[in-house]
Coordinates of all heavy atoms in Angstrom, one line a residue:
E777 N -126.3 -44.0 166.2 CA -126.0 -42.7 165.6 C -127.2 -41.7 165.9 O -127.0 -40.5 165.9 CB -125.8 -42.8 164.1 CG -124.5 -43.3 163.7 CD -124.3 -43.4 162.2 OE1 -125.4 -43.4 161.5 OE2 -123.2 -43.6 161.7
Q778 N -128.4 -42.3 166.0 CA -129.6 -41.4 166.2 C -130.3 -41.5 167.6 O -131.0 -40.6 168.0 CB -130.6 -41.9 165.1 CG -130.2 -41.7 163.7 CD -130.0 -40.3 163.2 OE1 -130.6 -39.4 163.8 NE2 -129.1 -40.0 162.3
R779 N -130.0 -42.6 168.3 CA -130.7 -42.8 169.5 C -129.7 -43.4 170.6 O -128.9 -44.2 170.3 CB -131.9 -43.9 169.4 CG -133.0 -43.5 168.4 CD -133.8 -42.4 169.0 NE -135.0 -42.1 168.1 CZ -134.9 -41.3 167.0 NH1 -133.8 -40.7 166.7 NH2 -136.0 -41.2 166.3
Q780 N -129.9 -43.0 171.8 CA -129.1 -43.5 172.9 C -129.8 -44.6 173.7 O -129.2 -45.3 174.4 CB -128.6 -42.4 173.8 CG -127.6 -41.4 173.2 CD -127.0 -40.5 174.2 OE1 -127.7 -40.1 175.2 NE2 -125.8 -40.1 174.0
Q781 N -131.1 -44.7 173.5 CA -131.9 -45.7 174.2 C -132.8 -46.4 173.2 O -133.6 -45.7 172.6 CB -132.7 -45.1 175.3 CG -131.9 -44.4 176.4 CD -132.8 -43.6 177.4 OE1 -133.9 -43.2 177.0 NE2 -132.3 -43.4 178.6
V782 N -132.7 -47.7 173.0 CA -133.5 -48.4 172.1 C -134.0 -49.7 172.8 O -133.3 -50.4 173.5 CB -132.7 -48.8 170.9 CG1 -133.6 -49.6 169.9 CG2 -132.2 -47.5 170.1
I783 N -135.3 -50.0 172.6 CA -135.9 -51.3 173.1 C -136.3 -52.1 171.8 O -137.1 -51.6 171.0 CB -137.1 -51.0 174.0 CG1 -136.7 -50.1 175.2 CG2 -137.8 -52.3 174.4 CD1 -137.9 -49.6 176.0
V784 N -135.8 -53.3 171.8 CA -136.1 -54.2 170.7 C -137.1 -55.2 171.2 O -136.9 -55.9 172.2 CB -134.8 -54.9 170.1 CG1 -135.2 -55.9 169.1 CG2 -133.8 -53.9 169.6
L785 N -138.2 -55.4 170.4 CA -139.1 -56.4 170.7 C -139.0 -57.5 169.7 O -139.0 -57.3 168.5 CB -140.6 -55.9 170.7 CG -140.9 -54.7 171.5 CD1 -142.4 -54.4 171.4 CD2 -140.6 -55.0 173.0
S786 N -138.8 -58.8 170.1 CA -138.6 -59.9 169.2 C -139.2 -61.1 169.7 O -139.6 -61.2 170.9 CB -137.1 -60.0 168.9 OG -136.4 -60.5 170.0
G787 N -139.2 -62.2 168.8 CA -139.8 -63.4 169.2 C -139.0 -64.6 168.5 O -137.8 -64.7 168.6
D788 N -139.8 -65.5 167.9 CA -139.2 -66.5 167.0 C -138.6 -67.7 167.6 O -138.7 -68.8 167.1 CB -138.1 -65.8 166.0 CG -137.5 -66.8 165.1 OD1 -138.3 -67.3 164.2 OD2 -136.3 -67.0 165.1
I789 N -138.1 -67.6 168.8 CA -137.2 -68.7 169.3 C -137.8 -69.6 170.4 O -137.1 -70.4 170.9 CB -135.8 -68.1 169.8 CG1 -136.1 -67.0 170.8 CG2 -135.0 -67.7 168.6 CD1 -134.8 -66.3 171.3
H790 N -139.1 -69.4 170.7 CA -139.8 -70.3 171.6 C -139.3 -70.2 173.1 O -139.6 -71.0 173.9 CB -139.8 -71.7 171.2 CG -140.4 -71.8 169.8 ND1 -140.5 -73.0 169.1 CD2 -140.9 -70.9 168.9 CE1 -141.0 -72.9 167.9 NE2 -141.3 -71.6 167.8
Y791 N -138.6 -69.1 173.4 CA -138.3 -68.8 174.8 C -138.3 -67.3 175.0 O -138.1 -66.6 174.0 CB -137.0 -69.4 175.4 CG -135.8 -68.9 174.7 CD1 -135.2 -67.7 175.1 CD2 -135.1 -69.6 173.7 CE1 -134.1 -67.2 174.6 CE2 -133.9 -69.1 173.2 CZ -133.4 -67.9 173.6 OH -132.3 -67.4 173.1
S792 N -138.5 -66.8 176.2 CA -138.5 -65.4 176.4 C -137.4 -65.0 177.4 O -137.0 -65.7 178.3 CB -139.8 -65.0 177.0 OG -140.9 -65.3 176.1
S793 N -136.9 -63.7 177.2 CA -135.8 -63.3 178.0 C -135.6 -61.8 177.9 O -136.4 -61.2 177.1 CB -134.5 -64.0 177.6 OG -134.2 -63.6 176.2

Side-chain angles (χ1 to χ4, degrees):
E777 281 178 347
Q778 301 290 334
R779 300 288 187 273
Q780 289 192 329
Q781 300 172 334
V782 178
I783 300 170
V784 175
L785 305 182
S786 67
D788 180 60
I789 49 180
H790 302 180
Y791 66 79
S792 298
S793 63

